[in-house]
Amino acid sequence: MTKLTFQARFDFLNDIREFVARIARQGGFSEKEIYSLQLAADEAATNIIEHACADLPNANFDVTCEMRGNTLMIIMHDMGAPFDPAAIQPPNLTADLSARKIGGLGLYLMHKLMDEVHYTPNSKTGNVLTMLKHRG
Amino acid sequence: MEITTQEFKHCDLIKITGRIDSSTAPVFGKALDKANENGRFKIVLDMSGLEYMSSAGFRAMLASQRNCQRYNRGELVLVAVPERIREALELAGFTELFKTFDDSVTAVGSF
C-alpha cells in the first residue's frame, strides 16, 4: 500500500512524515536524507492544509510514496484551491530581521531538499504535486 | 513536544523537546510570547532535546526574535541546535539571525 488518504489537518503531519520515512528507509536512504524527505513532505502537506484546503471543511488529500528504481517519489493530490507557483515570491535569505518575510519558505525548502518538484494545478480533477529524490 | 521555562536573573531559559511542526508550533510560539508578556526579552532556547522542526517553528522563532530585539531590549539565542535542524535553518538563511551556543550555561552567562 503506497497511497494513503489523510484528513487535511495539521494533526496528521506526523503520520505523513512517518509514512515517508518508512518508504525511504526501505528504499535505502540515509537518516540524513530521510530527515530532508520528511521535512519536504511536511512543508508540502502544510501548504495543502493551510492554503489549498483552508476553506474546505473535512477535506482529505492523498499521499503516494514509493520507490521507482533509485528514486523516491512523493505525490500529493488535493481537491482544494489551485495556486500559481510563479506568483509566490522566493524568500529573501539575506534580508535583515525586520525585512525578513516568512511566506514562501516552505516552497523554497521543498525545492532545496528535493531533486525535482512539479506542480500541476487543476480545479476540476485536483492539484497534483510530484516530488522526486534520487538516492545518493 | 514539551516546553519548560526557567527564570534566571538576567534571562529566561526555555527548553523544548520533541517535534515542532504546524500542529505544535502555535504552543511553542505562545511560550515565547508569554516570556515577552512577562517583560522578559532575553531568552535562551535550549534545543538539545528537539528531534524535528519545520518552517512553522522557524516562523515562531523569527517573530520572537523581532519582539525580543525591538528597542534593543534583548535577544533570543539558541543552544545545542541538532545537526539536521541546523542544516534546515541554514537552508532557510536563518542561522545569521540567531547567536548559537554549545551549552546553556554559557548562553545564560552571556546575558
Side-chain angles (χ1 to χ4, degrees), chain A residues 23-44:
Chain A
I23 305 294
R25 207 163 274 131
Q26 286 166 1
F29 281 89
S30 69
E31 290 304 311
K32 177 183 160 73
E33 289 169 322
I34 289 170
Y35 186 93
S36 297
L37 290 162
Q38 288 185 298
L39 183 53
D42 178 322
E43 299 293 345

Side-chain angles (χ1 to χ4, degrees), chain A residues 107-128:
Chain A
L107 191 62
Y108 174 82
L109 286 174
M110 286 153 58
H111 281 276
K112 293 296 274 189
L113 296 166
M114 303 298 290
D115 291 318
E116 292 181 41
V117 177
H118 306 285
Y119 177 73
T120 311
N122 190 311
S123 53
K124 289 200 179 72
T125 59
N127 312 301
V128 179

Side-chain angles (χ1 to χ4, degrees), chain B residues 3-103:
Chain B
I3 304 177
T4 56
T5 300
Q6 214 181 337
E7 284 200 13
F8 287 87
K9 190 172 179 197
H10 295 292
C11 67
D12 277 10
L13 173 64
I14 299 180
K15 185 173 169 62
I16 41 171
T17 56
R19 295 181 284 265
I20 298 183
D21 61 13
S22 292
S23 69
T24 53
V27 178
F28 170 51
K30 269 186 199 135
L32 293 169
D33 288 349
K34 191 158 179 279
N36 293 161
E37 283 159 18
N38 292 337
R40 312 283 288 179
F41 301 101
K42 293 172 180 166
I43 299 175
V44 174
L45 186 64
D46 182 345
M47 300 168 81
S48 58
L50 196 62
E51 295 163 35
Y52 175 85
M53 187 185 252
S54 74
S55 68
F58 301 176
R59 190 178 312 188
M61 281 168 43
L62 180 72
S64 180
Q65 183 68 298
R66 274 203 188 113
N67 208 15
C68 289
Q69 288 191 355
R70 191 168 299 146
Y71 316 123
N72 284 324
R73 61 192 171 185
E75 185 172 3
L76 172 68
V77 303
L78 313 180
V79 164
V81 186
E83 190 188 348
R84 310 250 188 277
I85 295 169
R86 185 181 48 73
E87 285 165 358
L89 285 168
E90 262 171 28
L91 273 185
F94 265 48
T95 39
E96 67 206 49
L97 301 176
F98 299 90
K99 271 189 208 148
T100 58
F101 294 86
D102 291 338
D103 64 278

